[in-house]
Amino acid sequence: MKIGLVLEGGAMRGMYTAGVLDVFMEQGINVDGIIGVSAGALFGVNYKSRQPGRTLRYNIKFAKDKRYIGLESLVRTGNIVNKEFCFDEIPNKLDIFDYDTFKKTNERFYAVVTNVETGEPEYIELDDLHDSMEYLRASGSMPFVSKMVKIDGKEYLDGGISDSIPVEKMIDMGYDKIIVVLTRPKNYTKKKNDERVAKIFYKKYPKLVEAINTRYLRYNNELKNIERLEKDNKIFVIRPSKLVNIKRIEKDEKKLKEMYELGRNDAKVSLDKLKEYLSNNKIS
């Protein structure tokens, strides 16, 4: 039996995921493979590196730091998330990331990125994060407020554009018990965006424009599929039990902690049912 873990993105809504994953680490919930999207990948790496509390710690510490994330970084660097500070200063100097443990632990870890030429998702396995940090950065490079990340001649943006909740990909990869961590409450549906914006920003990338403008359709279809699979006991879903009004680029420490604590509480409430799901060797 192979256990998979799918982590939705959502910028600072990902603090919910951080709370869930910290409980998983404390309770010894282990998986065989992980697919993270955007913030799901950015925060999910701390599960594979076995660093509970790290996501909360550095987000609280640097939330209001102008070097971290926000309009000043966007104006100065072209990226709302500061590349040097977030992907170098923090993990290598200010709140050390455990690269060795990340590499040694057994889970296979994939980050979803969107190829801007094709508009299609790519699922990049991250083994040594020293060598693949740019793919992690690409996975969380939100459209309109981030520069494209160029790697080996290809350009990428946020994986959520093309595959926000890659449950079907995880099934295709052979995982038969799948835990899905969402960052929106039940019954959420994504609304259609103004199509003109993407056409203005990315007129040289028509397939990217199409992917952005049809994202809401794919996302809502993914939610319908998740509900069906959950009802059939083929996947186990943890989602926010209530709505927290948190901004994508949230700087309020109380809101960040509230979202994190909600993730912890929902994970604890789900533990018995989750363990039962994982211990049942019958594949639905």
Side-chain angles (χ1 to χ4, degrees):
M1 182 177 72
K2 289 174 63 178
I3 301 172
L5 177 61
V6 176
L7 306 175
E8 183 184 10
M12 285 305 175
R13 293 198 314 273
M15 293 304 297
Y16 179 85
T17 303
V20 172
L21 296 182
D22 280 0
V23 170
F24 281 11
M25 284 187 271
E26 293 162 7
Q27 295 293 324
I29 303 295
N30 297 314
V31 301
D32 299 293
I34 303 165
I35 300 181
V37 183
S38 194
L42 294 173
F43 297 162
V45 293
N46 295 303
Y47 172 87
K48 182 167 166 55
S49 68
R50 302 296 188 265
Q51 292 178 279
R54 182 174 181 269
T55 301
L56 177 67
R57 185 172 61 243
Y58 71 72
N59 276 287
I60 293 298
K61 184 174 182 179
F62 300 115
K64 295 180 181 179
D65 192 313
K66 293 180 180 180
R67 297 171 296 172
Y68 184 44
I69 185 171
L71 290 177
E72 182 165 319
S73 175
L74 179 61
V75 171
R76 190 160 53 85
T77 71
N79 290 302
I80 199 162
V81 176
N82 188 294
K83 173 184 175 181
E84 286 73 21
F85 190 71
C86 295
F87 296 95
D88 182 14
E89 288 284 319
I90 291 178
N92 297 321
K93 299 175 183 178
L94 302 176
D95 196 321
I96 304 299
F97 182 77
D98 192 340
Y99 292 93
D100 290 339
T101 298
F102 181 90
K103 187 173 177 60
K104 290 175 183 176
T105 45
N106 292 325
E107 304 96 343
R108 303 186 75 170
F109 193 103
Y110 301 86
V112 185
V113 296
T114 299
N115 184 312
V116 301
E117 288 287 349
T118 66
E120 296 292 328
E122 294 184 15
Y123 308 87
I124 308 298
E125 184 169 8
L126 309 184
D127 180 24
D128 186 337
L129 211 55
H130 279 299
D131 297 333
S132 51
M133 187 66 82
E134 282 294 89
Y135 281 113
L136 184 65
R137 186 169 74 88
S139 184
S141 291
M142 295 179 284
F144 311 123
V145 292
S146 306
K147 292 180 179 179
M148 295 174 182
V149 179
K150 192 169 185 177
I151 307 170
D152 295 333
K154 296 181 181 180
E155 290 182 305
Y156 298 103
L157 280 174
D158 196 309
I161 296 169
S162 52
D163 194 353
S164 297
I165 318 171
V167 172
E168 285 300 321
K169 179 63 177 181
M170 184 136 268
I171 293 172
D172 291 344
M173 293 170 70
Y175 292 88
D176 38 50
K177 292 283 185 176
I178 298 173
I179 307 165
V180 183
V181 181
L182 302 178
T183 58
R184 297 279 196 183
K186 196 174 180 65
N187 297 323
Y188 170 81
T189 55
K190 187 173 287 293
K191 302 294 190 295
K192 183 179 181 180
N193 57 287
D194 186 339
E195 295 184 354
R196 294 171 296 179
V197 179
K199 290 178 180 177
I200 293 170
F201 267 81
Y202 301 117
K203 59 184 178 181
K204 294 181 180 180
Y205 303 90
K207 292 184 178 178
L208 177 64
V209 170
E210 182 182 4
I212 291 173
N213 287 338
T214 58
R215 183 190 177 193
Y216 77 103
L217 294 172
R218 288 190 304 281
Y219 185 88
N220 292 335
N221 284 334
E222 286 173 337
L223 288 181
K224 289 178 183 178
N225 187 45
I226 284 169
E227 287 188 16
R228 177 181 61 80
L229 293 170
E230 182 183 20
K231 183 178 180 181
D232 293 340
N233 201 39
K234 293 183 178 180
I235 63 175
F236 190 93
V237 181
I238 299 177
R239 57 168 68 82
S241 56
K242 67 176 184 178
L243 175 66
V244 175
N245 290 316
I246 186 169
K247 299 174 185 175
R248 290 181 64 81
I249 307 300
E250 184 62 70
K251 295 180 178 293
D252 187 329
E253 293 181 10
K254 290 183 179 179
K255 289 288 186 182
L256 296 174
K257 288 180 180 177
E258 182 182 3
M259 199 69 179
Y260 172 81
E261 289 298 334
L262 181 62
R264 287 190 62 87
N265 292 337
D266 287 351
K268 289 178 180 178
V269 168
S270 302
L271 271 176
D272 287 343
K273 289 184 179 179
L274 174 59
K275 290 177 180 178
E276 180 182 355
Y277 167 78
L278 295 177
S279 64
N280 184 355
N281 291 324
K282 181 180 178 181
I283 308 302
S284 300

